[in-house]
Amino acid sequence: MSEVYDLLIVGAGPGGLAAGIYGSRAKLKSAILDKNAEPGGQASTTDEMENYPGFYKGTTGPGIMKEFADHAKAFGTEFLRGTVDEVDFSGPIKKVHTQQGDTYESKVVILSPGATPRKINVKGEAELRGKGVSYCATCDADFFVDLDVVVVGNGDAAIEEAMYLTKFAETVTIIVIHEEGNLDCNKASAEKAMKNPKLKWVWNSTVEEIAGDELVEKVVLKNINTGELSDLETNGVFVFIGTEPHTDFLKGKVELDDRGYLVANDMMETNVPGVYAVGDARAKYLRQVVTAAADGAIAASAAEKYLSELETLQNDVLDVSKEKPVILAFWAPQVEESIDSIAIVDKVVEEKDGAVGLVKLDTYRAKKTATQYKVSEIPTIVLFKDGKDVGRIEGAKNITPDAVENILKESVEV
């Protein structure tokens, strides 16, 4: 059993690495757990990268991922090796178990397990990946200016990416398994695609092989009606038949959508307090290195505030309330009446000459604590004794000197 981390990040893709940078820089004890010896996730399989901001002259996926990792290490992020097969998010301390038999504990877990494009699993696909075989038009279209490419797939993503490719390529040929005119994409996209002069169509067909010497030179197509094989010369093959998030180990532990992607809000929070989701395994619009890095930065920053709230609640409220009653006052600077109410509470507590504690929380900065204690009206005061909330007063009109005195007498006999 390891010591308890502040921040344990599962997955060393760009989202996880960015979270490590931001977490460690915020002086959180942070670690990244990944199954691979080299960090980077899918980004590390990209030979050339031209669309990451600041690298217009180009860089490599492995190169920029090494810079990410070195950056995280420089701030003190610890790197751990292991394949996660079980998690326990039920308590305040999260537990992550690996196939290798290790268990790691952390106050916060950031999930960055990644996703991989679905493969067509034909001869030549793996060997020519990054050498003409691609799964991302946004990443690689610029390499095929005035060349001929093939798109495999006919769903929304495939047709949208194919139309995007027409801005660069000379021709884009879409290989469709269905009868002529029958596409899986939405009707509006289908109609638009059919009118695009740069798009060509091969119907009732699948790709049997991708061939080439060093670079893609052709695909071998099979007509599913006749079984006939034919060659189609091309410079590139773009495969868009969906992606697969690596979230099997999270089923039943955190909310997933119907495709298995992690569901998170704009602060990267999942439905489990203290668990965040970033990167390609999160349900999102665009899966790129830059968006994964942004996810990681947001998650680590949100986690820092979450941990700060927990620390304040535990140290200044729950622990202190074991010695004397503590009033936790929820207010907001933009709610003027809450300022007056807090002044009333302040005065009553001051008259108790140290027998009662007072902690004031701005609900905008302490949303988690406000949610935890079901604060629906500002101002609200909650009284704690022996680590438990034992009474409350809600609303400015109800927070009077007599009401505060009464709740203290009734609840803790002060």
Side-chain angles (χ1 to χ4, degrees):
M1 190 75 68
S2 68
E3 59 183 300
V4 177
Y5 292 97
D6 294 320
L7 201 62
L8 179 64
I9 301 153
V10 177
L17 293 171
I21 292 169
Y22 275 73
S24 294
R25 189 170 182 271
K27 305 303 180 185
L28 301 178
K29 182 172 177 56
S30 305
I32 297 175
L33 173 62
D34 193 81
K35 64 183 178 181
N36 298 314
E38 296 298 326
Q42 285 294 303
S44 64
T45 66
T46 302
D47 286 342
E48 295 184 63
M49 187 181 299
E50 290 187 332
N51 62 349
Y52 193 80
F55 290 87
Y56 62 94
K57 293 182 180 178
T59 184
T60 67
I64 200 167
M65 287 300 96
K66 183 179 184 302
E67 294 294 329
F68 271 42
D70 289 347
H71 197 161
K73 290 174 183 175
F75 282 131
T77 303
E78 185 178 345
F79 280 73
L80 309 169
R81 183 87 180 272
T83 302
V84 178
D85 62 357
E86 181 64 36
V87 296
D88 181 358
F89 296 153
S90 60
I93 300 299
K94 320 302 179 189
K95 296 180 181 180
V96 175
H97 308 280
T98 70
Q99 291 178 2
Q100 291 74 23
D102 297 312
T103 297
Y104 300 98
E105 295 185 336
S106 184
K107 299 171 186 175
V108 166
V109 170
I110 294 180
L111 298 169
S112 180
T116 50
R118 285 193 174 91
K119 314 293 192 302
I120 51 177
N121 294 316
V122 299
K123 182 180 179 182
E125 181 180 15
E127 294 82 357
L128 292 169
R129 178 171 181 168
K131 300 175 182 178
V133 174
S134 174
Y135 304 87
C136 177
T138 308
C139 309
D140 298 333
D142 198 38
F143 300 125
F144 295 91
V145 173
D146 297 331
L147 298 178
D148 300 307
V149 300
V150 161
V151 165
V152 182
N154 68 105
D156 286 340
I159 299 305
E160 288 171 11
E161 298 283 3
M163 288 193 287
Y164 177 79
L165 284 165
T166 62
K167 298 178 181 180
F168 302 85
E170 179 68 24
T171 63
V172 178
T173 302
I174 303 178
I175 313 302
V176 185
I177 195 171
H178 305 307
E179 297 286 337
E180 183 173 351
N182 184 11
L183 299 174
D184 292 331
C185 67
N186 66 81
K187 186 176 181 181
S189 292
E191 291 176 352
K192 186 176 179 180
M194 292 294 184
K195 295 175 183 177
N196 192 314
K198 280 194 171 184
L199 289 180
K200 298 182 178 182
W201 307 85
V202 177
W203 306 95
N204 299 311
S205 298
T206 59
V207 175
E208 286 289 294
E209 180 183 346
I210 303 171
D213 183 14
E214 298 295 329
L215 297 173
V216 169
E217 296 174 1
K218 71 175 183 178
V219 290
V220 178
L221 304 179
K222 180 180 180 180
N223 185 293
I224 61 172
N225 290 335
T226 66
E228 180 184 356
L229 298 179
S230 61
D231 291 349
L232 175 64
E233 292 186 4
T234 187
N235 303 112
V237 179
F238 286 81
V239 179
F240 302 116
I241 56 173
T243 56
E244 297 176 314
H246 304 158
T247 56
D248 283 349
F249 70 99
L250 295 169
K251 291 178 179 177
K253 306 295 184 178
V254 65
E255 184 181 358
L256 306 175
D257 70 9
D258 56 3
R259 299 179 300 157
Y261 287 92
L262 289 155
V263 176
N265 62 18
D266 59 1
M267 292 176 67
M268 308 301 133
E269 298 166 319
T270 69
N271 65 315
V272 179
V275 179
Y276 298 77
V278 305
D280 286 0
R282 183 173 78 85
K284 60 192 296 187
Y285 175 69
L286 181 64
R287 293 180 172 86
Q288 293 276 279
V289 172
V290 69
T291 62
D295 287 355
I298 292 168
S301 297
E304 179 191 2
K305 290 179 174 58
Y306 169 81
L307 289 170
S308 178
E309 278 191 55
L310 285 183
E311 185 177 3
T312 296
L313 181 64
Q314 186 65 50
N315 296 344
D316 299 344
V317 179
L318 302 181
D319 289 348
V320 174
S321 74
K322 295 173 183 177
E323 305 296 329
K324 63 181 181 182
V326 177
I327 293 175
L328 182 56
F330 294 92
W331 72 292
Q334 66 270 27
V335 181
E336 189 173 343
E337 57 266 33
S338 74
I339 300 173
D340 296 333
S341 297
I342 296 301
I344 291 172
V345 178
D346 245 328
K347 186 174 180 180
V348 173
V349 170
E350 186 178 346
E351 290 173 351
K352 299 302 178 184
D353 198 22
V356 178
L358 174 62
V359 174
K360 307 168 195 176
L361 284 184
D362 178 348
T363 52
Y364 178 77
R365 298 178 180 275
K367 293 179 181 178
K368 298 292 179 298
T369 307
T371 300
Q372 181 177 346
Y373 290 100
K374 298 180 173 60
V375 174
S376 59
E377 188 171 358
I378 302 301
T380 289
I381 65 171
V382 181
L383 182 63
F384 287 81
K385 180 61 179 173
D386 296 324
K388 299 178 181 178
D389 55 308
V390 295
R392 69 172 55 205
I393 306 174
E394 299 177 327
K397 66 180 182 297
N398 297 319
I399 299 177
T400 64
D402 288 344
V404 178
E405 289 281 4
N406 288 337
I407 195 176
L408 287 170
K409 290 177 182 177
E410 292 171 3
S411 302
V412 295
E413 298 182 352
V414 174

